[in-house]
Amino acid sequence: MAAELGAGLRIFRDILRRADKNDDGKLSFDEFKAYFADGVLSGEELHELFHTIDTHNTDNLDTEELCEYFSQHLGEYENVLSVLEDLNITILKAMDKTKKDYQEASNLEQFVTRFLLKETLNQLQSLQSSLECAMETTEEQTRQERQGPTKPEVLSIQWPGKRSARRLQRNNSLSLNSPHFSTGWTEEDSQWMTQINRLQKLIDRLEKKDLKLEPFEEEVLEENARSHIMIVQRQMSVIEEEIEEFRLALKQYVESASTQGGCLHVSVQKLASDCRFIVYEFWENSNAWNSHLQMNYSKTFQRSNVDFLETPELITTMLVPASWWVLNNN
């Protein structure tokens, strides 16, 4: 079968390998659902699709069936997948040659290699950003057509970070058995919380696309000032059977993240109509966010999500002027 796969279709051999959790060379419905569920199709629709693809009527899918079904619907993406196959082979060959030749190359040759690697990565990241934007737009459009706008169910109020983290940890009232997160607050937090809520409302208005811009006003930043803070939105569609385990992992992640020196704020929301969670994180700058991603607790959470999520996590980042974030240092 491998030799018979045409250009653009060989990717389905890799798809089956990644989706086949028990490595038996075929996909059960549970494996199919875990890999192909996109947070839009219902379980019933996925079940119907599974049996449509299962032309051999074995209650399992193989590479041939996947190729036979998707080849009828690829359209222009047949060319895209074909190019990706060639690109993958070309990059692997280049990486293999780089590994062999780099150490013995001259300083100038090493510089050129590093430059080409960086520019290749920039081009791939640019393509990835375009694809992520297209995915987010199509998914959101379909979701609105199916169920209309959904008001989020707030699972937690804002989490502390930076200066007040240790003091507020003494007031936390977290229960391992509770799916909700709650935090105790004192009056001296009110001004600090006002700024958090201000940014939260700004994000909500941007998502609803009803933001009205104020007249242009130029802002002059101090030369040594930290000019921007990083806002991160993480969207996660959780497998219904894994939701309690996910809540526990999420709570542990938020507890650890909120105590980091560069963390300003973390909050969690859950959409009432499905198992989709949205996490908002506010970091002092992009370096603080990148350092956080390398921490063990962050990597542990990312690894656990492989088992908990129906679809890959969607992460969106945005830089906003640090002058918008006014902290009470008195």
Side-chain angles (χ1 to χ4, degrees), residues 64-109:
E64 180 182 353
E65 289 173 314
L66 288 174
C67 290
E68 182 179 349
Y69 176 80
F70 282 100
S71 64
Q72 305 171 42
H73 306 281
L74 288 180
E76 189 63 29
Y77 283 91
E78 182 175 355
N79 295 329
V80 174
L81 296 179
S82 177
V83 170
L84 284 175
E85 289 175 2
D86 294 338
L87 178 63
N88 186 47
I89 294 173
T90 303
I91 289 179
L92 288 178
K93 287 182 178 179
M95 295 302 97
D96 186 56
K97 183 170 178 58
T98 298
K99 181 180 179 181
K100 292 178 180 178
D101 299 346
Y102 184 80
Q103 188 171 359
E104 298 179 359
S106 66
N107 289 340
L108 180 58
E109 289 172 334

Side-chain angles (χ1 to χ4, degrees), residues 5 10 20-21 26 54 70 88 90 105 113 123 127 145-146 156 169 180 211 228 284 299 330:
L5 293 181
R10 285 183 285 271
D20 181 18
K21 296 298 185 183
K26 55 192 177 183
D54 181 24
F70 282 100
N88 186 47
T90 303
T113 298
Q123 292 295 321
L127 289 173
E145 290 174 353
R146 284 172 166 250
S156 74
Q169 278 182 330
H180 299 272
L211 178 66
H228 292 84
E284 285 186 345
K299 293 181 178 180
N330 296 329

Side-chain angles (χ1 to χ4, degrees), residues 155-166:
L155 288 189
S156 74
I157 310 177
Q158 287 77 9
W159 279 75
K162 201 182 178 183
R163 182 170 50 83
S164 56
R166 287 188 294 273

Side-chain angles (χ1 to χ4, degrees), residues 74-191:
L74 288 180
E76 189 63 29
Y77 283 91
E78 182 175 355
N79 295 329
V80 174
L81 296 179
S82 177
V83 170
L84 284 175
E85 289 175 2
D86 294 338
L87 178 63
N88 186 47
I89 294 173
T90 303
I91 289 179
L92 288 178
K93 287 182 178 179
M95 295 302 97
D96 186 56
K97 183 170 178 58
T98 298
K99 181 180 179 181
K100 292 178 180 178
D101 299 346
Y102 184 80
Q103 188 171 359
E104 298 179 359
S106 66
N107 289 340
L108 180 58
E109 289 172 334
Q110 288 183 344
F111 163 77
V112 173
T113 298
R114 294 193 302 272
F115 171 77
L116 293 176
L117 283 171
K118 182 179 70 173
E119 287 307 310
T120 300
L121 180 60
N122 287 339
Q123 292 295 321
L124 292 175
Q125 288 177 335
S126 178
L127 289 173
Q128 180 180 345
S129 297
S130 298
L131 288 170
E132 287 176 347
C133 182
M135 284 180 59
E136 183 177 355
T137 301
T138 54
E139 288 175 359
E140 186 61 28
Q141 180 178 339
T142 303
R143 213 171 270 119
Q144 290 178 359
E145 290 174 353
R146 284 172 166 250
Q147 63 189 33
T150 303
K151 184 178 181 180
E153 168 196 350
V154 177
L155 288 189
S156 74
I157 310 177
Q158 287 77 9
W159 279 75
K162 201 182 178 183
R163 182 170 50 83
S164 56
R166 287 188 294 273
R167 171 170 48 80
L168 288 173
Q169 278 182 330
R170 293 196 296 269
N171 297 326
N172 285 351
S173 55
L174 292 170
S175 170
L176 287 176
N177 298 320
S178 172
H180 299 272
F181 307 141
S182 59
T183 316
W185 297 99
T186 62
E187 289 185 4
E188 60 186 288
D189 295 304
S190 60
Q191 186 172 351

Side-chain angles (χ1 to χ4, degrees), residues 235-265:
Q235 299 187 48
M236 292 163 278
S237 296
V238 183
I239 300 172
E240 187 173 358
E241 294 79 7
E242 303 289 345
I243 195 165
E244 291 306 320
E245 290 295 324
F246 172 79
R247 286 182 190 272
L248 179 59
L250 177 60
K251 183 170 74 68
Q252 293 171 340
Y253 166 79
V254 172
E255 284 180 320
S256 298
S258 64
T259 60
Q260 297 303 305
C263 181
L264 301 172
H265 157 64

